[in-house]
């Protein structure tokens, strides 16, 4: 117990004892105790009223208290404790205000637009660049839903879906300016939107993409002519010439695969998904892939297809077909003759999975995390022998990213591999009864 409280207790017990003594001596119990209670009530009420008045402005010095001791008793202790606490809170508030102001000043002078939103995407705050580059008005637009002001349908949809991945949009001020938007969750009730001018970056990317696409297209035609001549020479009876033409044929085939993959990558990068997204009938796509696979494989492997045909996908059909076909081609490439390959489309815990598994040569563990890098090949020799370009899996990754999906690779060197493309629930569509029949295996 603190000294003040201890003193208060002792004093009051002493006063009470005094009152009881007087009451006993004078034999007027009621009067003595009544007088004691009245004095006690007046004493406490007076201090309560003083406290109430002082609480209106606790910055002023604490009020005087009356007690039986020189220090002012219990009430003096209460006032001073409150005053000290108040001072501490004030200091903390001043510090917080200073930090907040520094943060605001820094964000205010940030050259790129910054907007904070509440949980319903209403504008809470914006910096000067947001006013200048996005056309927002500090006074009029604060508290308004941002989607009502930046009325770009793709932006509004992105915002409503929680802005999971950064997106590019045209500036509302000038269509020639490309902005990249990222959304950060600050707390349950606050989100931060950062806009970045990426016009120059996107222009440079477009020039690079066009250059690669043009060169690839230009190389493709003479290469096709060359392959044609080499094929006609392949029937020659001269064994020495046969060795040379076979070697040349292998190299030109690798070059054509590389060029085809480069053209495919630049196609994927230059086209946006806008307007191309539809409900993709996976059952029909697998049937088509099966036909292509049969002609490519020429009965060298045992390939089975299984499809849960009650689920379709919301996506870009050509791009998905390109990714799936890449995985099947790889399984054929990296599985020795007579091996088994299984292609399937089925439900899984997170949504649905397109899986290609084989019992081929497998992949060393240390290479698995790097497989989707451009031009990454496990062992250059085995890739060259198979005619691979090292771009196939980066095409797959690009397509999956654009469909909010991800790739899982499970592989054991010498035993086989499984490539799993996992699509989230929001990308799935229940197939209409006309499309669906029972699960089918082949
Ligand atoms: P590539 O065109 O060389 O096949 P990819 O990007 O498609 O390039 O694949 C990268 C590497 O991953 C390949 O070099 C190959 O070694 C390995 N790989 C891909 N699929 C398989 C598979 N099914 N089995 C074993 N290795 C594979």
């Amino acid at each position: 117990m603190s000294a003040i409280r201890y003193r208060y207790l002792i004093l009051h017990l002493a006063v009470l004892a005094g009152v009881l003594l007087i009451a006993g001596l004078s034999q007027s119990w009621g009067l003595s105790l009544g007088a004691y209670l009245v004095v006690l009530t007046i004493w406490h009420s007076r201090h309560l009223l003083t406290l109430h008045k002082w609480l209106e402005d606790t910055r002023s010095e604490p009020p005087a208290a009356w007690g039986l001791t020189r220090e002012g008793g219990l009430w003096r202790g209460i006032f001073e404790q409150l005053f000290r606490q108040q001072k501490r809170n004030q200091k903390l508030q001043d510090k917080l205000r200073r930090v907040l102001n520094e943060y605001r000043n820094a964000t205010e002078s940030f050259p790129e637009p910054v907007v904070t939103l509440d949980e319903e995407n209403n504008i809470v705050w914006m910096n000067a660049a947001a006013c200048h580059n996005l056309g927002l008005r500090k006074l009029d637009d604060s508290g308004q839903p941002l989607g009502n002001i930046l009325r770009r349908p793709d932006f509004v949809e992105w915002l409503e879906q929680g802005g999971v991945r950064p997106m590019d949009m045209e500036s509302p001020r000038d269509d020639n300016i490309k902005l990249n938007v990222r959304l950060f969750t600050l707390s349950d009730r606050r989100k931060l939107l950062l806009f970045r001018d990426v016009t120059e970056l996107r222009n440079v990317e477009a020039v690079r993409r066009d250059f690669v696409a043009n060169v690839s297209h230009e190389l493709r035609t003479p290469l096709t002519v060359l392959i044609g001549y080499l094929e006609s020479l392949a029937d020659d009876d001269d064994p020495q010439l046969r060795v040379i033409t076979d070697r040349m044929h292998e190299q030109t085939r690798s070059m054509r695969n590389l060029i085809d993959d480069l053209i495919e990558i630049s196609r994927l990068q230059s086209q946006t998904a806008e307007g191309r997204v539809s409900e993709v009938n996976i059952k029909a796509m697998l049937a088509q892939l099966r036909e292509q696979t049969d002609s490519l494989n020429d009965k060298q492997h045992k390939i089975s297809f299984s499809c849960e045909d009650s689920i379709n996908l919301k996506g870009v059909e050509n791009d998905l077909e390109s990714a799936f076909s890449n995985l099947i081609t790889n399984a054929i490439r990296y599985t020795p003759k007579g091996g088994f390959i299984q292609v399937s489309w089925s439900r899984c815990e997170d949504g649905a999975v397109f899986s290609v598994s084989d019992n081929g040569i497998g992949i060393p563990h240390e290479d698995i995390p790097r497989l989707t890098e451009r031009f990454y090949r496990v062992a250059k020799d085995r890739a060259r022998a198979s005619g691979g370009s090292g771009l196939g899996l980066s095409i797959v990754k690009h397509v999956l990213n654009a469909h909010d999906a991800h790739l899982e690779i499970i592989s054991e060197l010498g035993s086989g591999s499984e490539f799993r493309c996992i699509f989230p629930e929001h990308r799935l569509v229940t197939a209409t009864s006309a499309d669906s029949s029972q699960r089918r295996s082949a």
Side-chain angles (χ1 to χ4, degrees):
M1 201 189 293
S2 80
I4 282 192
R5 271 177 287 165
Y6 187 70
R7 225 173 301 142
Y8 171 80
L9 209 66
I10 298 286
L11 266 172
H12 274 260
L13 283 176
V15 170
L16 191 61
V19 170
L20 290 175
L21 190 67
I22 293 168
L25 289 175
S26 62
Q27 289 298 308
S28 51
W29 290 94
L31 190 68
S32 305
L33 284 175
Y36 168 71
L37 285 177
V38 168
V39 171
L40 203 64
T41 312
I42 292 174
W43 186 66
H44 280 308
S45 306
R46 175 129 196 230
H47 282 107
L48 278 174
L49 289 173
T50 312
L51 174 65
H52 187 260
K53 186 159 185 284
W54 179 64
L55 284 178
E56 287 169 6
D57 175 20
T58 46
R59 279 167 184 262
S60 59
E61 284 293 313
W66 305 269
L68 293 177
T69 58
R70 214 155 30 96
E71 295 86 27
L74 185 71
W75 279 103
R76 180 74 199 165
I78 293 175
F79 290 159
E80 275 179 357
Q81 224 169 334
L82 277 173
F83 185 62
R84 273 197 301 275
Q85 248 175 31
Q86 198 56 33
K87 263 188 158 171
R88 264 203 306 275
N89 284 348
Q90 198 60 47
K91 264 192 187 161
L92 205 68
Q93 263 183 25
D94 289 347
K95 193 173 167 193
L96 277 177
R97 200 170 295 127
R98 247 195 340 270
V99 171
L100 201 68
N101 278 342
E102 278 168 16
Y103 160 77
R104 280 210 167 180
N105 289 343
T107 333
E108 185 67 40
S109 54
F110 203 59
E112 310 280 12
V114 180
V115 181
T116 46
L117 303 175
D118 66 13
E119 67 271 43
E120 276 156 9
N121 296 331
N122 299 316
I123 300 174
V124 175
W125 181 84
M126 68 195 82
N127 69 352
C131 300
H132 184 255
N133 299 352
L134 304 177
L136 301 182
R137 293 161 306 167
K138 265 199 176 160
L139 289 180
D140 297 345
D141 294 339
S142 291
Q144 302 292 323
L146 182 63
N148 284 1
I149 300 161
L150 301 184
R151 288 163 177 260
R152 311 239 154 201
D154 50 346
F155 173 72
V156 175
E157 194 188 334
W158 174 83
L159 198 58
E160 276 166 7
Q161 287 176 356
V164 185
R165 285 190 291 132
M167 75 162 283
D168 276 4
M169 63 183 273
E170 282 150 11
S171 159
R173 279 280 164 96
D174 181 351
D175 282 358
N176 294 317
I177 296 179
K178 291 266 172 305
L179 296 173
N180 181 268
V181 204
R182 279 187 297 167
L183 187 136
F184 300 92
T185 305
L186 300 180
S187 69
D188 289 350
R189 301 174 52 208
R190 287 287 179 273
K191 299 176 211 172
L192 181 84
L193 276 182
L194 281 185
F195 295 76
R196 196 161 57 101
D197 186 341
V198 287
T199 318
E200 245 175 76
L201 186 69
R202 296 292 178 260
N203 285 345
V204 171
E205 282 172 358
V207 168
R208 181 179 54 90
R209 231 178 12 245
D210 290 349
F211 175 77
V212 173
N214 289 340
V215 170
S216 308
H217 275 292
E218 290 301 323
L219 284 174
R220 205 176 191 281
T221 319
L223 205 60
T224 311
V225 175
L226 216 65
I227 289 172
Y229 281 122
L230 285 171
E231 272 168 5
S232 62
L233 285 174
D235 299 333
D236 202 288
D237 293 335
D238 181 351
Q240 246 183 333
L241 188 66
R242 283 274 295 279
V243 172
I244 294 170
T245 52
D246 280 355
R247 192 95 181 85
M248 286 172 78
H249 198 213
E250 193 185 289
Q251 295 298 320
T252 44
R253 201 188 54 178
S254 290
M255 273 174 81
R256 195 173 57 187
N257 285 343
L258 174 64
I259 286 168
D260 286 347
D261 281 350
L262 283 171
I263 291 173
E264 181 64 5
I265 279 204
S266 49
R267 181 188 75 78
L268 287 170
Q269 288 179 335
S270 57
Q271 293 178 340
T272 60
E274 212 178 315
R276 298 193 301 138
V277 175
S278 62
E279 181 181 336
V280 180
N281 183 332
I282 300 291
K283 182 182 167 189
M285 183 185 283
L286 286 198
Q288 208 170 324
L289 283 171
R290 190 180 184 167
E291 264 179 41
Q292 287 170 17
T293 310
D294 284 346
S295 66
L296 176 76
N297 184 45
D298 201 17
K299 298 207 169 64
Q300 292 183 12
H301 300 91
K302 295 180 187 71
I303 306 182
S304 76
F305 280 76
S306 78
C307 174
E308 193 157 312
D309 40 24
S310 59
I311 358 166
N312 283 342
L313 248 184
K314 219 182 323 168
V316 181
E317 185 157 3
N318 279 351
D319 299 358
L320 286 169
E321 191 174 335
S322 165
F324 293 172
S325 141
N326 253 304
L327 292 178
I328 299 173
T329 312
N330 274 352
I332 294 174
R333 263 192 200 148
Y334 300 107
T335 303
K337 279 182 194 162
F340 290 96
I341 294 168
Q342 197 169 15
V343 181
S344 70
W345 169 246
S346 58
R347 273 221 161 264
C348 68
E349 207 179 307
D350 300 329
V353 56
F354 174 83
S355 152
V356 180
S357 58
D358 61 61
N359 63 349
I361 60 175
I363 303 159
H365 283 268
E366 63 274 17
D367 287 304
I368 293 179
R370 301 196 56 194
L371 286 185
T372 53
E373 288 173 20
R374 280 185 198 179
F375 297 110
Y376 188 82
R377 287 181 288 186
V378 172
K380 292 223 159 38
D381 289 347
R382 70 173 183 169
R384 202 169 290 136
S386 68
S389 66
L391 288 172
L393 291 179
S394 59
I395 292 177
V396 174
K397 187 181 170 196
H398 187 97
V399 172
L400 294 188
N401 277 348
H403 287 81
D404 311 316
H406 65 275
L407 182 68
E408 269 179 20
I409 305 169
I410 306 155
S411 187
E412 200 63 56
L413 195 60
S415 307
S417 316
E418 183 179 3
F419 287 77
R420 292 164 59 81
C421 308
I422 297 165
F423 293 87
E425 201 65 50
H426 72 264
R427 282 278 174 179
L428 308 183
V429 187
T430 308
T432 55
S433 53
D435 292 336
S436 63
S437 57
Q438 277 301 300
R439 187 187 164 94
R440 193 175 61 120
S441 280

